[in-house]
Amino acid sequence: MFKKLDQVLPAQQVAELKQIASNAQFVDGKISNPHNKTKNNLHLNDQNAYQRSAQIMTQALMGHEDFRNFAFPRQIAPPLITRYDPGMNYGLHPDAAIMNINNAIMRSDLSCTIFLNDPDSYEGGALKICLADQDVRFKLSAGSAIVYPSTTLHEVEKVTSGDRLVGITFIQSQIGDHAKRELLYELNEVAALEGNNMAFENFIRLQGVQQNLLRWWVNS
């Protein structure tokens, strides 16, 4: 299950992140994994710029209600600005299951791409996610994001003109099981949309189910 998040970043924060990127040094993305043969992109390589940009994007995600309701976040890796110049791509790959974040081990349950420039400013560069025998492509407006299971195979298609600028991060959820997390998300959405139409005593019973499922499944 994928979740598109509109307006995670307001225009002024998008502009600030693009300004940070334009003034910062980038390095070959393979520096984080020299043995990765599919990776062909650039990573932000300026500690001050990284800290400021990661803070902006983390706060934006945690302040976005749809993100919190979908991801049930327990830990978020500091988002990293990544750039794709013409000819660059990231071949088909899964995301690492276990990551070392600030000298602590984190499990990646969900991956997130935050788009920082408009889709008409570059050609190619779609995020392609493989779902069984179907490919789903995402190329969203600046400030929007896509959240998807880290278990999926995905790739960034080759950029043919312009620059693709995104923030990438990974989330450890309080509910590690994808099926349980998605069921609880759907139940919570229905309760939020239809709760006012239900008899009060039935809505209270529904809330009991919601909280008990969360209680049983959290950190699973």
Side-chain angles (χ1 to χ4, degrees):
M1 184 175 182
F2 314 114
K3 183 64 176 177
K4 287 194 288 185
L5 304 173
D6 296 325
Q7 297 180 328
V8 172
L9 295 166
Q12 63 268 28
Q13 287 188 332
V14 171
E16 182 177 355
L17 289 167
K18 292 173 75 172
Q19 184 65 35
I20 289 172
S22 68
N23 293 330
Q25 180 187 16
F26 281 75
V27 296
D28 189 338
K30 289 190 180 71
I31 195 170
S32 64
N33 187 352
H35 304 292
N36 191 327
K37 297 180 179 180
T38 65
K39 195 173 190 179
N40 180 23
N41 61 13
L42 300 170
H43 285 182
L44 188 70
N45 189 44
D46 180 309
Q47 190 61 30
N48 291 333
Y50 174 49
Q51 290 178 351
R52 175 56 182 157
S53 59
Q55 179 187 44
I56 292 171
M57 290 185 281
T58 300
Q59 290 179 349
L61 284 172
M62 288 304 296
H64 198 283
E65 185 177 12
D66 281 350
F67 171 77
R68 297 194 308 271
N69 291 344
F70 179 76
F72 297 90
R74 179 180 181 185
Q75 184 177 356
I76 301 177
L80 174 66
I81 294 180
T82 302
R83 194 179 82 213
Y84 292 76
D85 292 338
M88 292 185 173
N89 71 306
Y90 198 151
L92 194 67
H93 66 282
D95 288 325
I98 302 296
M99 300 180 177
N100 190 325
I101 306 297
N102 298 324
N103 296 319
I105 297 301
M106 190 192 94
R107 183 188 68 229
S108 64
D109 297 317
L110 294 162
S111 302
C112 177
T113 297
I114 304 172
F115 294 82
L116 299 179
N117 49 6
D118 289 316
D120 58 1
S121 67
Y122 60 100
E123 297 292 333
L127 172 65
K128 184 177 81 172
I129 301 175
C130 301
L131 184 63
D133 59 352
Q134 180 183 8
D135 295 335
V136 185
R137 288 174 171 81
F138 298 96
K139 193 174 175 182
L140 305 182
S141 60
S144 298
I146 180 71
V147 183
Y148 54 97
S150 300
T151 54
T152 57
L153 291 175
H154 56 281
E155 66 177 298
V156 176
E157 297 177 329
K158 183 179 292 187
V159 173
T160 57
S161 68
D163 292 322
R164 179 186 192 264
L165 194 68
V166 298
I168 57 170
T169 188
F170 308 94
I171 301 101
Q172 179 171 343
S173 177
Q174 296 178 73
I175 303 174
D177 185 285
H178 294 303
K180 291 177 180 177
R181 185 171 61 251
E182 290 173 8
L183 284 171
L184 189 55
Y185 170 74
E186 291 292 342
L187 180 61
N188 291 348
E189 286 289 285
V190 171
L193 293 170
E194 299 296 334
N196 289 336
N197 299 324
M198 300 173 65
F200 178 76
E201 59 272 21
N202 289 335
F203 184 51
I204 293 300
R205 292 173 64 190
L206 178 59
Q207 287 183 315
V209 172
Q210 291 173 270
Q211 294 306 314
N212 282 329
L213 289 177
L214 181 60
R215 185 173 291 111
W216 291 334
W217 291 349
V218 72
N219 293 328
S220 63

